[in-house]
Amino acid sequence: MTKNLGPAAARRTFDEEVVLDAAAHVFRKHGFGGATVREVAQAAGMLPGSLHYRYPSKEALLLDLMERALNRVLALGRSAVESARDPAERLRLGLRAHIEALLSGDDDFYVLLYDWRSLEGAAMLGMLRLRARYEAFWDDLLQDAARAGWVRPGIDLELVRQFGFGAMNWVAQWRQETDPRTPADIADAFWSYLAFGLLAEDKRRGFGQTTRKRKGGRR
Amino acid sequence: MTKNLGPAAARRTFDEEVVLDAAAHVFRKHGFGGATVREVAQAAGMLPGSLHYRYPSKEALLLDLMERALNRVLALGRSAVESARDPAERLRLGLRAHIEALLSGDDDFYVLLYDWRSLEGAAMLGMLRLRARYEAFWDDLLQDAARAGWVRPGIDLELVRQFGFGAMNWVAQWRQETDPRTPADIADAFWSYLAFGLLAEDKRRGFGQTTRKRKGGRR
DNA sequence: AGACTTCTTGGTCAAATGACCAAGAACCTC
DNA sequence: GAGGTTCTTGGTCATTTGACCAAGAAGTCT
């Protein structure tokens, strides 16, 4: 299967992948707190000592894992989006990429989503910095769309990003393997709801089209 | 503070609340797997033995806790919604109630959101049944709106529910105590985005207003 | 106040857990 | 194939963990 990739270093990275895959699987199943290094080792096909040789602590595993996850979504998002110039289309493609990543079966993303609270101190800060890059990726997409006049006025783009993140990430929670909707179906439906809204044409009058009764001023 | 509510039974329920509050706090902080019964006991102001007297196991705590959480959101949602007849307004009020609950500081909801994976077997099934009641509450709201002609055709209401759940629940993740937006602000903004969509008026032509390229047929 | 129930105390117990390591096997390089 | 490096083995070790309990204290009721 995996032919000889060259000398030692290559196998080392390969091994690391295997270990992180195992960790992702176990952490996803039990949560970081509930998982044991022994089970990770077993899932990786090695003894606990061998795992310890590669990773000195459980937390180190979590860190590398979440970093890998973040790099992966970011890479997938960027590559998905680059094929289109149109800002709205780029948003749609980004949405697709994110949801397809989540539903690809890669356990990494679940750990990224659900074990955030297990990070501490510097580890947390590092992750936040990395996460900020992904958020910036989306903010760019949104701002490009807004600048090109695609977005109706009065919309808080940061709120939209969070709104979208929530909707997308939640898919990992509810979507079953047996669901007839493909990831792309779901993404496109989400895009359509988000872009056009739910209301029927004849019901769109009579409501403030931006938030009603604003409280604080814009920041 | 808490005046004598009457005889023993009252204090017992009060005690149980205290214990569940403590459990909610600890589970939220470390996750169910990472939390210890000792810490729960301490947070509840009692020795581990006393906690054991009330709850025979850690899992029993989780169960009661999640049940309480589910009953709470459901009750809050129902009561928020009953003041309006208009289907769109009822949706907006439901959204508000859900988000305000999440941001109220009640730890229960975080446990409900993040420790689902710690449930097993019958416990899981029981929770699913309870959760279904909350989902049904929302489906009713959505179907009422659709039946009254508020929703543009071709929209998958179940998908909309999940879409909304995701957006709402995610708020618990990102919203900081220092955020100038009130929970109601956020809820109303979400409602506006969901109802009207993001696109500017002049950009709404030329796209299929429902999902493009449907794959499977409608179920 | 006496009888009874409820709850707490302070601890035990076996199992699990994260971290660690000495000794040796496997591998690589020259 | 010798010498050095990398990795594995099989285990140890101090803690922590969930569960449990006998004995007594506190509360309740009549």
Side-chain angles (χ1 to χ4, degrees), chain B residues 35-163:
Chain B
T36 70
V37 291
R38 275 169 240 266
E39 194 179 349
V40 173
Q42 194 184 359
M46 57 182 66
L47 295 178
S50 297
L51 182 60
H52 180 71
Y53 176 74
R54 287 144 214 268
Y55 283 91
S57 75
K58 199 176 155 189
E59 209 201 355
L61 272 171
L62 181 64
L63 268 182
D64 267 24
L65 190 49
M66 292 185 71
E67 188 175 332
R68 188 176 76 165
L70 231 16
N71 286 333
R72 279 182 179 177
V73 250
L74 184 52
L76 287 170
R78 284 197 174 135
S79 108
V81 138
E82 73 184 2
S83 73
R85 290 248 80 82
D86 179 68
E89 182 65 3
R90 283 164 69 87
L91 278 170
R92 194 181 67 91
L93 292 173
L95 228 77
R96 262 200 196 213
H98 187 107
I99 288 183
E100 280 174 342
L102 269 183
L103 298 181
S104 69
D106 189 330
D107 296 317
D108 282 30
F109 304 121
Y110 292 81
V111 177
L112 184 61
L113 284 179
Y114 296 121
D115 280 311
W116 203 262
R117 63 179 154 200
S118 299
L119 295 171
E120 286 184 299
M124 168 68 88
L125 288 180
M127 268 349 262
L128 282 175
R129 207 149 31 79
L130 233 97
R131 188 181 70 178
R133 287 172 57 209
Y134 189 58
E135 292 171 341
F137 161 73
W138 276 96
D139 284 341
D140 285 350
L141 288 183
L142 285 166
Q143 277 161 24
D144 287 350
R147 266 195 294 269
W150 284 88
V151 179
R152 68 183 164 87
I155 284 195
D156 180 336
L157 290 183
E158 191 201 346
L159 223 41
V160 169
R161 166 165 58 74
Q162 298 291 18
F163 187 77

Side-chain angles (χ1 to χ4, degrees), chain A residues 12 15 38 47 49-50 53-54:
Chain A
R12 196 170 324 134
D15 266 27
R38 274 170 241 266
L47 295 180
S50 298
Y53 176 75
R54 287 142 215 267

